Amino acid sequence: MAAHYGTAILPARPRKPRDKAKVEQAVLIVERWLLGRLRRRTFTSLADVDAALGELMAQLNDEQNLRRLGVTRRQLLEEVDRPALTSLPAEPYDYHVAVAAIITACPIASPAPRSTRG
């Protein structure tokens, strides 16, 4: 998939939490923001939870400006990310193969790699 998009994958190093700090912090901030707004509500179905989360995510993405940038997440998507997006690969990537303790996604038509070790 990386080859399809002309990019390189740089995974975080094992046992190096600093490699993931920015992403993990952003997830934590959104999680706390959502839970803070939902904590006193009672839901009777999963559909109700989904609807509430959908409303809050729309508010977060469409209305709240990012402090340092002064624009919304939706504006960043439309102005920066969307112009750079390309179509998905024709071959679906829907299963994983482990090779030398590395797990990777492979197209369905690809044969599983063979081990070169005895």
Side-chain angles (χ1 to χ4, degrees):
M1 186 169 273
H4 173 78
Y5 289 108
T7 189
I9 306 299
L10 301 173
R13 297 170 295 169
R15 295 173 294 284
K16 300 289 183 185
R18 287 179 153 202
D19 289 0
K20 301 188 308 181
K22 287 184 180 182
V23 170
E24 295 293 335
Q25 190 62 33
V27 169
L28 181 63
I29 289 168
V30 171
E31 180 181 344
R32 286 181 178 168
W33 186 84
L34 289 169
L35 291 174
R37 281 151 183 77
L38 296 176
R39 70 174 171 248
R40 290 191 175 88
R41 292 181 61 180
T42 302
F43 299 98
T44 57
S45 71
L46 186 57
D48 291 344
V49 176
D50 285 344
L53 287 172
E55 292 169 12
L56 288 173
M57 290 306 297
Q59 179 184 347
L60 180 70
N61 291 326
D62 299 336
E63 299 171 14
Q64 289 192 345
N65 284 342
L66 297 169
R67 282 186 208 153
R68 293 184 185 165
L69 301 174
V71 296
T72 65
R73 288 170 177 84
R74 176 75 59 203
Q75 288 171 315
L76 283 177
L77 171 70
E78 298 300 335
E79 295 169 11
V80 177
D81 293 332
R82 193 168 309 279
L85 292 176
T86 59
S87 62
L88 292 172
E91 292 286 325
Y93 287 76
D94 68 349
Y95 68 88
H96 295 84
V97 175
V99 178
I102 297 171
I103 299 176
T104 184
C106 295
I108 293 173
S110 293
R114 295 178 188 226
S115 173
T116 58
R117 297 181 190 180

